[in-house]
Amino acid sequence: MAAKAHELLFSPVQVGPITLEHRIVMAPMTRQRSQQPGNVPSDLQLQYYTQRAFDGGLIIAEGTAVSPLGHGGYGSPGLWTDDQVSGWTHITEAVHAKGAFMFAQLWHAGRLAHISSTGEAPVAPSIDPDFWCHPAGPANLVSTSSGLQAPTPHRSLQIEEMDDIIGQFVAAAENAKTAGFDGIELHAAYGYLLDQFLQNGTNKRTDRYGGSMENRVRLLAEVLAATISVWGPNRVGIRIAPGSTFHGISDSDPDALFGYLADRLNEFELAYLHIIESRIHGFDLIAEGRGAVSAHQLRKRFHGQLIATGGFEPDTAEETLADGDADMIGFARYFISNPDLPQRILQNYPLSDYDRDTFYTFDARGYTDYPPYNHAGNPRG
């Protein structure tokens, strides 16, 4: 039985037609373990996700590029070739065999990319030379086969190219369906392309995709409508990061923007809205003790299922559910070092620490070598 302290975490919840047996979601995490060349999901990734599949749970896969132009880092997977689809199919089959569900996260890096991955100049809503000339710290660098490098100078998308961008998401959504995923999540956070269009620190356009909040939301709304037409209602989620400045993103009035966006998202039959709490900057907790502020605010505006992610401990996750600020809680770092995380929380077992130095090391270290808990009382060594 679930420990009383975490009884809400282990209550069922509906995500569209899917019934989850608990509310602990494995959040998407870039880990850079795909095969090269080809950006094909690897046997190592198969092992990693299988280890973390728990009966009745939901895994949201790492950011998966919708096209070569949208690929944002060495070792990250894609969903635009048959080989990539085949690689993901092996993973979804293994996850399903353990009774879990899996969504693909569709990702277009936009300006945060390098020509060694994209094969051409990256794209953005508007040109910002400071972004590639003065990248603000290592978080804004791009992983390449030669190590971290500054992003390649980007160009502004022409309005006649928007249909092609939407088409890239549609093709990836179709491929995700072929690969056996249970749904998809659109990555509209952390300064990637869809987020670049949302926020006026990066979107300086004067056409129908820039200026007003309505115009800046337009591309995301069109991608949502197009991918829902592939998957049907309640199978497409979206991830946002209100107030985040990660990867050089910013807006002059983020509260107004994301409140407006939450209102607009009620027009779509979404699987869920996935919110990264503003206390998180990438993998770093930057506001110790701050509660689920972003989820609390947007819960008042968005009427569907809501996942809150970022800086949660089991007890604070339970409190957030009890407060009604979210329906599910995403865990990231703790899923890295605790492949059996739901079981550990269920049984009140201690959680293992994670090693940041191995988050992006391309091999099994810090990836598939974290052991499950030994039920005799100690982590297996």
Side-chain angles (χ1 to χ4, degrees):
M1 292 181 61
K4 185 176 181 180
H6 302 132
E7 59 186 12
L8 292 178
L9 278 172
F10 289 93
S11 62
V13 63
Q14 204 71 22
V15 178
I18 298 168
T19 301
L20 302 178
E21 297 302 319
H22 62 84
R23 297 169 186 248
I24 299 168
V25 176
M26 180 175 168
M29 292 171 279
T30 295
R31 301 300 310 279
Q32 298 182 326
R33 263 69 172 194
S34 290
Q35 287 175 269
Q36 301 299 319
N39 308 300
V40 177
S42 66
D43 290 341
L44 203 57
Q45 286 167 285
L46 171 62
Q47 182 182 0
Y48 170 76
Y49 284 113
T50 305
Q51 288 173 339
R52 286 154 182 79
F54 190 80
D55 189 32
L58 175 62
I59 291 173
I60 306 173
E62 65 209 85
T64 302
V66 299
S67 66
L69 183 60
H71 193 260
Y74 181 78
S76 295
L79 255 174
W80 70 84
T81 72
D82 290 343
D83 286 345
Q84 292 163 354
V85 171
S86 178
W88 278 119
T89 300
H90 296 311
I91 293 172
T92 60
E93 288 174 348
V95 167
H96 290 154
K98 293 188 70 175
F101 301 92
M102 194 170 195
F103 274 44
Q105 188 190 67
L106 302 189
W107 166 54
H108 194 301
R111 69 180 189 170
L112 196 71
H114 193 270
I115 197 168
S116 61
S117 289
T118 61
E120 58 181 295
V123 296
S126 310
I127 295 175
D128 178 7
D130 283 344
F131 185 71
W132 68 75
C133 293
H134 307 288
N140 288 351
L141 299 177
V142 179
S143 177
T144 75
S145 59
S146 302
L148 293 175
Q149 298 191 44
T152 299
H154 55 267
R155 64 176 181 84
S156 176
L157 279 165
Q158 300 301 303
I159 196 165
E160 58 268 19
E161 295 179 280
M162 296 305 180
D163 285 347
D164 183 57
I165 294 294
I166 296 167
Q168 291 171 25
F169 278 94
V170 168
E174 292 169 342
N175 284 337
K177 203 170 189 179
T178 301
F181 284 98
D182 299 291
I184 60 171
E185 174 181 284
L186 300 182
H187 197 342
Y190 276 176
Y192 296 118
L193 185 67
L194 295 177
D195 200 17
Q196 292 161 26
F197 270 86
L198 287 177
Q199 306 211 44
N200 61 20
T202 44
N203 186 343
K204 307 296 185 182
R205 301 178 73 93
T206 57
D207 59 18
R208 68 175 184 269
Y209 289 95
S212 68
M213 290 187 293
E214 179 182 9
N215 282 354
R216 286 182 277 131
V217 168
R218 188 182 307 278
L219 178 61
L220 175 56
E222 291 176 348
V223 171
L224 269 173
T227 52
I228 289 172
S229 73
V230 173
W231 273 91
N234 304 309
R235 292 280 189 170
V236 177
I238 177 176
R239 194 181 207 206
I240 61 174
S244 174
T245 59
F246 194 54
H247 290 149
I249 201 74
S250 66
D251 191 82
S252 61
D253 192 347
D255 290 343
L257 170 64
F258 286 99
Y260 172 80
L261 176 60
D263 290 341
R264 288 290 308 277
L265 292 177
N266 289 317
E267 301 171 10
F268 300 91
E269 294 182 276
L270 296 183
Y272 57 76
L273 171 61
H274 187 176
I275 295 173
I276 305 172
E277 281 298 325
S278 56
R279 63 190 174 195
I280 288 291
H281 187 76
F283 267 120
D284 296 321
L285 180 62
I286 59 173
E288 192 75 42
R290 183 192 296 173
V293 174
S294 300
H296 177 75
Q297 292 300 322
L298 294 188
R299 171 62 106 183
K300 303 170 187 176
R301 310 284 289 265
F302 180 70
H303 305 147
Q305 299 286 51
L306 194 151
I307 303 173
T309 293
F312 286 99
E313 302 287 334
D315 289 349
T316 57
E318 182 75 12
E319 291 167 6
T320 298
L321 295 178
D323 290 342
D325 290 335
D327 301 289
M328 293 158 278
I329 304 295
F331 288 86
R333 296 167 295 172
Y334 280 134
F335 254 117
I336 291 174
S337 53
N338 300 273
D340 54 344
L341 181 63
Q343 186 68 26
R344 292 202 193 200
I345 296 175
L346 179 69
Q347 300 295 342
N348 279 325
Y349 294 149
L351 302 183
S352 298
D353 291 333
Y354 43 84
D355 179 5
R356 289 177 178 273
D357 292 340
T358 60
F359 280 1
Y360 309 111
T361 48
F362 308 111
D363 56 22
R365 291 182 305 115
Y367 190 62
T368 56
D369 58 353
Y370 285 105
Y373 196 79
N374 182 333
H375 296 278
N378 297 293
R380 294 179 182 136

